[in-house]
Amino acid sequence: MVNKSGGAGAEGFLHVKGKKGDAHTIIITLSNLFTTPLHTGVPFNWRDLTPIARLALDEFILWVNAETPYKTAQEYMSAVKAKPNTFTMGGTGSAQEDQILTIQQEQALGVKFIYVPFKGGGEVCVNLVGKHVDSTVNNPIECVSHWKAGRVRPLAVFDARASPSGTGRTFPP
């Protein structure tokens, strides 16, 4: 195994692209397979590869600190809309899934956040617990221990499927 780090996956993507036809070279990647080329302009497209299998699908959750008064996503977004550019949204990195979801919320709901990038999902959640950001968008596993401890509250799951109960997902998912 060779770990090709750098450029939000760009180094690895270009390495595998250069191994076209080599059945012994594979890559395991995240959704940065799509976002890195869009953000960086690296000469790579996901279509340059042959998909073998999808092993997992990350769901993202909108989290707030459990000490906030917000019990629903609608309550929180109403507060954000009332005071644009004052609420912070923490996420992992720049121009990756967390920031893309933040921008999509802004566009769809007419809200405006100050996006704060961190190096990893655990750091994102710790900053939410410490009240250094007002909300986060990250994966369940990155915040589930703090949720179980009652420090954070999930408000919404970003998913095309409706919740089975219609009132919210069971956590952890």
Side-chain angles (χ1 to χ4, degrees), residues 58-135:
D58 283 341
E59 290 181 320
F60 284 79
I61 296 177
L62 172 63
W63 302 90
V64 293
N65 188 293
E67 295 178 11
T68 67
Y70 313 111
K71 305 294 186 216
T72 68
Q74 185 175 4
E75 289 174 356
Y76 181 62
M77 291 302 167
S78 292
V80 174
K81 194 170 190 172
K83 294 183 179 180
N85 291 308
T86 58
F87 283 78
T88 53
M89 177 73 78
T92 303
S94 296
Q96 297 296 325
E97 300 90 338
D98 301 29
Q99 189 171 24
I100 291 168
L101 283 171
T102 301
I103 292 167
Q104 287 178 325
Q105 290 174 83
E106 290 176 333
Q107 292 173 344
L109 304 172
V111 297
K112 185 64 180 153
F113 290 100
I114 298 168
Y115 182 77
V116 182
F118 293 97
K119 291 181 182 177
E123 185 180 352
V124 171
C125 194
V126 166
N127 276 277
L128 179 60
V129 170
K131 300 179 184 175
H132 304 294
V133 292
D134 297 303
S135 55

Side-chain angles (χ1 to χ4, degrees), residues 5-23:
S5 62
E11 293 296 325
F13 300 143
L14 291 174
H15 175 77
V16 173
K17 180 181 177 181
K19 297 286 189 169
K20 184 175 183 168
D22 179 350

